[in-house]
C-alpha cells in the first residue's frame, strides 16, 4: 500500500517525521510531498532520509533556476495514480481551505484534485484558527465529501494558547489511515449487479427510439463498487465509456436484452443497482425494411416494455435493490411512490431540470430516499462522489434492515 504524505507549514511539521517511521513500520511505502510552508520548518532531507524516497516539493521540478521539464510537470498525475491514500499531516487552515475549494496552485493541491484515493487530514493550528467559522465550514465541507478528519487534540499550543489545535497523536493518525483503507474494501465478497446507459428500441433497421442517458452515473457506481472490493457485473446499454477496471460488462441494446441479461444474473447478486434509463415503450413491431418517407402523418404503435427493476425486485429476498428516479417535478412524492411500487430499498432521485444534475453531466444533485424512512439530500457532487454515497447508504440500510453484512451474505 502506498501512502502519499503531504506535510504543510506548521510547527507540528517535525512530528510528521515520526509519522513516516510509524507508517513504514506498519508496512506502508511513504512518498512525502512538502509544501513551501513546510520547508520553512523542516528540511526535505529529513524526510528523504526517513522515507528512502525523493521528497517532492515543487509542481515544476526544482525551480531554483533550472527549467521546468515535462516529466516533473506531469509528475502529479503519476503520483496520483500510485497513491492508495493521501494523508495530510499536519494540515494547516490554509490547506483545509484549498482542498475544500479545489484550488490547485502547488504540487500537493494539484495532486489532491488528480487523485481518486481516499483522503485523511490531521489539522494542527492555533485554537482560534481552528474554531474560526471559515475553518469549521471547510472541515464540514471536506467531511461531507468523505474526507476523514482526525480532530486535533486539546492542550498547550506552540503559540502559547491552550485549546484544540494540537496535531492528534501519531497512533491515532495511523489508526485513521488503517481504518479508512479498510472501509474502502467494505464490499469485499459482495456481488453487485448494475444497469447503466440508455436502451435503443428499433423502429426499422436504421432508426431507433432512445434517450439522453450517458451512462456516467451507472459507470461511476460500478467503478466505486469495484474499488470497494465487490465483484461487479455491469449490464450496459450503448454508451461511449470505458469499462472500469475489474468490472465485467455485458453489452445490451434493447430493453428486452437488458431484461434477459439482468434476470440471468440477479440470483447471484447481493446488491442490485438499476441506473439505466430503460425505454418505457418500444414499437409493437419494428419494420424489417427502412420506413419510406411519405408526406402523410406517420403513426407508430408502441407497447410498454417490462419494468426490469419492478419485475426482479418482486422476489428480491434480502438483496438490497436500488432504483433511480429522474424527475422534472414533485421529486420527493414521485420518488417515494417508485420506492414502494417497485419494491425497492432505496431510490436515488434527481430533478433533471436542475443545473448541475442529470444527463451527460459530471455532477449530480440527488436525494436518497430509503425504505427505513430516511431522506438524505446531498449537495452538488461529482458523479463519483454520488456513487460512493449511494454505496454508503446501501450498506447502512442493509445494517438497519437485515443486520450486519456478514449475517446478510450468509442468508442471500
Ligand atoms: N426501470 C427499469 N425498467 C424499465 C423502466 C425503468 O428497470 N423498463 C428502472 C430504472 O432503471 C430506474 C427506475 O426503474 O431505476 C425508475 O425509472 P424511471 O424512468 O424514473 O421511472 P419509470 O418507472 O419509468 O416512471 P416514469 O418514467 O413514468 O417516471
Amino acid at each position: 500500500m502506498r501512502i502519499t504524505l503531504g506535510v504543510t507549514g506548521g510547527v507540528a511539521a517535525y512530528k510528521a517525521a515520526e509519522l513516516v517511521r510509524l507508517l513504514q513500520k506498519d508496512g506502508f511505502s511513504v512518498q512525502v510531498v512538502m509544501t513551501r510552508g513546510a520547508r520553512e520548518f523542516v528540511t526535505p532531507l529529513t524526510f528523504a532520509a526517513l522515507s528512502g524516497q525523493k521528497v517532492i516539493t515543487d509542481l515544476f521540478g526544482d525551480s531554483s533556476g533550472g527549467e521546468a521539464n515535462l516529466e516533473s510537470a506531469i509528475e502529479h498525475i503519476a503520483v496520483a495514480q500510485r497513491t492508495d491514500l493521501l494523508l495530510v499531516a499536519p494540515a494547516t487552515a490554509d490547506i483545509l481551505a484549498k482542498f475544500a475549494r479545489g484550488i490547485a496552485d502547488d504540487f500537493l493541491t494539484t495532486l489532491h484534485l488528480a487523485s481518486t484515493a481516499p483522503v485523511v487530514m490531521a489539522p494542527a493550528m492555533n485554537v482560534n484558527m481552528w474554531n474560526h467559522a471559515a475553518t469549521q465550514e471547510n472541515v464540514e465541507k471536506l467531511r461531507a465529501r468523505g474526507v476523514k478528519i482526525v480532530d486535533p487534540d486539546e492542550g498547550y499550543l506552540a503559540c502559547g494558547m491552550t485549546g484544540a489545535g494540537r496535531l492528534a497523536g501519531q497512533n491515532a493518525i495511523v489508526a485513521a489511515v488503517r481504518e479508512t483503507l479498510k472501509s474502502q474494501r467494505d464490499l469485499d465478497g459482495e456481488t453487485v449487479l448494475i444497469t447503466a446507459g440508455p436502451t435503443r428500441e428499433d423502429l426499422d433497421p436504421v432508426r431507433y427510439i432512445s434517450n439522453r442517458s450517458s451512462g456516467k452515473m451507472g459507470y461511476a457506481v460500478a467503478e466505486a463498487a469495484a474499488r470497494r472490493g465487490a465483484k461487479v457485473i455491469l449490464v450496459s446499454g450503448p454508451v461511449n465509456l470505458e469499462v472500469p477496471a475489474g468490472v465485467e460488462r455485458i453489452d445490451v441494446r434493447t430493453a428486452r436484452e437488458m431484461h434477459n441479461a439482468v434476470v440471468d444474473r440477479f440470483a447471484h447478486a447481493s446488491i442490485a443497482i438499476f441506473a439505466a434509463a430503460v425505454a418505457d415503450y418500444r414499437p409493437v413491431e419494428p419494420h424489417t425494411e427502412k420506413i419510406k418517407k411519405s408526406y402523410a402523418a406517420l403513426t407508430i404503435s408502441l407497447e410498454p416494455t417490462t419494468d426490469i427493476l419492478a419485475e426482479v425486485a418482486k422476489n428480491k429476498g434480502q438483496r438490497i435493490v436500488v432504483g433511480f428516479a429522474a424527475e422534472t417535478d414533485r421529486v420527493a412524492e414521485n420518488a417515494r411512490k417508485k420506492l414502494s411500487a417497485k419494491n425497492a430499498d432505496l431510490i436515488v432521485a434527481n430533478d433533471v431540470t436542475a443545473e448541475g444534475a442529470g444527463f451527460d453531466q459530471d455532477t449530480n444533485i440527488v436525494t436518497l430516499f430509503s425504505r427505513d424512512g430516511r431522506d438524505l439530500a446531498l449537495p452538488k457532487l461529482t458523479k463519483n462522489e454520488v456513487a460512493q454515497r449511494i454505496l454508503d447508504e446501501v450498506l447502512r440500510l442493509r445494517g438497519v434492515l437485515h443486520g450486519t453484512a456478514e449475517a446478510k451474505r450468509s442468508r442471500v
Side-chain angles (χ1 to χ4, degrees):
M1 282 282 181
R2 282 172 295 207
I3 294 198
T4 299
L5 170 62
V7 183
T8 65
V11 184
Y14 75 93
K15 294 186 183 166
E18 178 66 7
L19 205 49
V20 172
R21 224 182 43 79
L22 276 179
L23 288 166
Q24 283 177 329
K25 221 173 102 199
D26 248 29
F28 295 110
S29 134
V30 184
Q31 167 70 65
V32 177
V33 176
M34 294 179 81
T35 61
R36 185 186 297 271
R39 280 176 280 143
E40 299 290 333
F41 290 91
V42 193
T43 70
L45 204 56
T46 308
F47 287 105
L50 282 169
S51 68
Q53 296 193 38
K54 186 178 136 250
V55 171
I56 300 172
T57 53
D58 237 304
L59 191 53
F60 298 106
D62 179 12
S63 54
S64 55
E67 274 181 28
N69 59 55
L70 180 64
E71 197 185 309
S72 55
I74 58 169
E75 198 181 4
H76 59 284
I77 304 292
V79 176
Q81 276 164 353
R82 51 173 197 263
T83 295
D84 293 309
L85 181 140
L86 174 59
L87 168 65
V88 184
T92 56
D94 180 61
I95 202 77
L96 293 170
K98 283 180 172 165
F99 274 26
R101 291 298 301 172
I103 290 170
D105 64 352
D106 67 359
F107 194 96
L108 184 58
T109 49
T110 311
L111 167 72
H112 163 240
L113 292 190
S115 161
T116 55
V119 180
V120 176
M121 302 181 88
M125 64 196 73
N126 161 276
V127 57
N128 290 343
M129 290 173 78
W130 172 248
N131 286 332
H132 195 285
T135 303
Q136 288 303 313
E137 273 171 27
N138 291 331
V139 165
E140 274 324 300
K141 198 178 268 179
L142 291 165
R143 280 205 174 107
R145 217 182 270 160
V147 172
K148 170 81 186 160
I149 304 284
V150 190
D151 281 330
D153 286 341
E154 303 233 350
Y156 179 73
L157 305 173
C159 55
M161 294 173 76
T162 304
R166 284 166 65 97
L167 182 69
Q170 277 132 358
N171 287 335
I173 298 174
V174 175
V177 164
R178 260 196 253 114
E179 193 189 302
T180 303
L181 283 170
K182 202 168 133 229
S183 72
Q184 295 296 306
R185 303 286 298 177
D186 53 3
L187 291 176
D188 247 334
E190 306 281 349
T191 300
V192 182
L193 174 65
I194 298 167
T195 69
T199 63
R200 289 181 183 169
E201 310 304 325
D202 290 333
L203 290 164
D204 70 16
V206 297
R207 303 185 182 95
Y208 54 79
I209 299 175
S210 192
N211 59 63
R212 290 172 51 205
S213 167
S214 63
K216 282 182 183 167
M217 193 60 246
Y219 274 60
V221 179
E223 182 178 353
R227 271 183 176 257
R228 287 166 73 153
K231 170 178 158 55
V232 180
I233 304 166
L234 176 63
V235 178
S236 173
V239 295
N240 255 328
L241 298 170
E242 303 236 333
V243 191
V247 168
E248 179 193 346
R249 180 169 79 179
I250 295 147
D251 288 312
V252 297
R253 223 179 100 76
T254 62
R256 191 178 274 129
E257 284 175 18
M258 187 172 274
H259 183 207
N260 291 339
V262 167
V263 166
D264 284 352
R265 287 158 184 95
F266 187 70
H268 307 291
S270 48
I271 297 166
I273 300 177
F274 295 84
V278 187
D280 287 332
Y281 293 92
R282 69 173 149 247
V284 174
E285 221 166 298
H287 288 243
T288 50
E289 275 136 35
K290 192 177 163 206
I291 303 169
K292 282 291 175 199
K293 180 168 64 187
S294 88
Y295 291 94
L298 174 68
T299 305
I300 295 167
S301 289
L302 302 174
E303 64 185 7
T305 57
T306 307
D307 188 319
I308 306 170
L309 193 179
E311 182 66 24
V312 296
K314 277 183 199 154
N315 299 307
K316 67 178 179 180
Q318 290 193 341
R319 288 170 194 82
I320 295 291
V321 172
V322 181
F324 278 68
E327 305 292 345
T328 53
D329 64 327
R330 288 181 293 147
V331 177
E333 188 188 327
N334 289 332
R336 284 246 161 247
K337 253 189 220 157
K338 279 179 191 169
L339 190 67
S340 69
K342 297 186 188 232
N343 198 27
D345 299 295
L346 182 68
I347 290 282
V348 182
N350 66 348
D351 179 346
V352 283
T353 60
E355 202 201 308
F359 297 124
D360 209 17
Q361 303 230 17
D362 292 321
T363 54
N364 213 347
I365 307 167
V366 302
T367 302
L368 309 183
F369 294 91
S370 299
R371 197 141 80 92
D372 66 343
R374 176 158 116 137
D375 298 354
L376 181 62
L378 299 177
K380 179 163 148 188
L381 296 171
T382 65
K383 286 190 172 171
N384 289 334
E385 287 161 346
V386 172
Q388 296 289 359
R389 304 300 291 274
I390 293 170
L391 295 173
D392 292 346
E393 187 64 1
V394 163
L395 291 181
R396 182 198 70 81
L397 188 61
R398 186 163 66 183
V400 172
L401 299 176
H402 308 304
T404 66
E406 295 314 313
K408 161 75 193 68
R409 272 206 284 280
S410 59
R411 276 180 280 152
V412 160

